[in-house]
Amino acid sequence: GDSVTQMEGPVTLSEEAFLTINCTYTATGYPSLFWYVQYPGEGLQLLLKATKADDKGSNKGFEATYRKETTSFHLEKGSVQVSDSAVYFCAPNFGNEKLTFGTGTRLTIIP
Amino acid sequence: DTGVSQDPRHKITKRGQNVTFRCDPISEHNRLYWYRQTLGQGPEFLTYFQNEAQLEKSRLLSDRFSAERPKGSFSTLEIQRTEQGDSAMYLCASSFVGMGTEAFFGQGTRLTVV
């Protein structure tokens, strides 16, 4: 069946480090792909999305590319800041009208 | 537009009591979702509505859970005879119809069953 696997955390990085959070999926069709972020004390917010193969979503310096050949949607940022500390969720929509969330990756950035 | 709002934000109840949560979606959205999130996990789908019709319920939604969206606007989620395992964050989201459409989430209702 359709499923999503997300890199486990927690992840701790120094400010200005490069970030990658891996996300892979298994699907019978072609899902839309989303990254959501949950800042401390706040609700889930959409960070970026991609709806078809080779699309690149980007927002706030974060990027992720829809890779059909590797069924992946890895989240990257070239230089993280303390304010990026949050929990990040990969969430495909497998065409069944709802999002399926990964387990989440807690990111902590140290000054 | 004030976004998706949920009430209450926190609820502490004794085991065996009934609780009801409310969600007010973004006004022009026709889809409304309920998810449950436990500590350290991603949100899990419970049910969703399109307008007033409840189109899908997860097997996670036991007979003690019921959700309504009577006029296609706000929704309520009721849990009867609460159990300690019901303790979680209950999230509501709304969107337009469509796979690529962003779902907007409320801040959730945190339920603690003691």
Side-chain angles (χ1 to χ4, degrees):
Chain A
D2 298 334
S3 65
V4 57
T5 301
Q6 185 176 340
M7 180 173 114
E8 292 188 14
V11 174
T12 303
L13 295 173
S14 298
E15 205 167 20
E16 299 183 3
F18 184 85
L19 169 71
T20 300
I21 301 177
N22 290 339
C23 173
T24 57
Y25 63 89
T26 301
T28 52
Y30 300 100
S32 294
L33 301 173
F34 300 82
W35 276 99
Y36 277 80
V37 58
Q38 194 168 35
Y39 297 104
E42 298 185 17
L44 281 165
Q45 302 173 24
L46 178 69
L47 181 59
L48 53 82
K49 70 177 185 181
T51 57
K52 62 183 188 296
D54 300 325
D55 269 2
K56 178 185 284 188
S58 61
N59 186 24
K60 298 182 180 181
F62 291 88
E63 294 183 340
T65 301
Y66 191 141
R67 302 285 188 198
K68 187 176 72 171
E69 63 277 10
T70 54
T71 62
S72 64
F73 193 54
H74 303 323
L75 183 68
E76 297 182 336
K77 186 173 185 181
S79 177
V80 293
Q81 305 301 312
V82 171
S83 58
D84 295 326
S85 297
V87 182
Y88 293 81
F89 294 94
C90 183
N93 181 324
F94 292 112
N96 53 5
E97 313 300 344
K98 57 186 179 285
L99 296 170
T100 300
F101 285 85
T103 53
T105 303
R106 180 175 298 278
L107 174 67
T108 302
I109 307 300
I110 299 172
Chain B
D1 187 353
T2 57
V4 178
S5 63
Q6 293 187 243
D7 183 72
R9 293 289 307 279
H10 304 275
K11 178 71 176 179
I12 300 174
T13 191
K14 293 183 178 179
R15 190 174 53 186
Q17 298 294 304
N18 299 343
V19 294
T20 300
F21 310 141
R22 177 180 170 122
C23 171
D24 287 272
I26 294 171
S27 57
E28 61 267 27
H29 286 179
N30 54 4
R31 284 267 172 93
L32 186 148
Y33 301 83
W34 286 99
Y35 287 81
R36 181 172 67 188
Q37 185 178 19
T38 53
L39 199 62
Q41 298 298 314
E44 296 175 299
F45 169 77
L46 293 179
T47 188
Y48 86 96
F49 294 83
Q50 183 162 318
N51 300 313
E52 65 274 12
Q54 188 173 20
L55 297 186
E56 185 177 348
K57 293 193 293 185
S58 164
R59 65 182 186 280
L60 294 175
L61 213 64
S62 77
D63 291 344
R64 297 184 296 106
F65 288 69
S66 62
E68 294 182 343
R69 194 182 183 197
K71 297 182 180 179
S73 56
F74 73 92
S75 176
T76 58
L77 178 68
E78 181 183 17
I79 309 174
Q80 296 182 327
R81 304 181 303 281
T82 52
E83 302 173 356
Q84 287 191 320
D86 297 331
S87 297
M89 178 75 83
Y90 290 84
L91 300 171
C92 177
S94 69
S95 72
F96 289 113
V97 173
M99 277 178 55
T101 303
E102 174 183 358
F104 291 80
F105 282 80
Q107 292 196 290
T109 294
R110 181 169 295 284
L111 173 66
T112 302
V113 182
V114 297

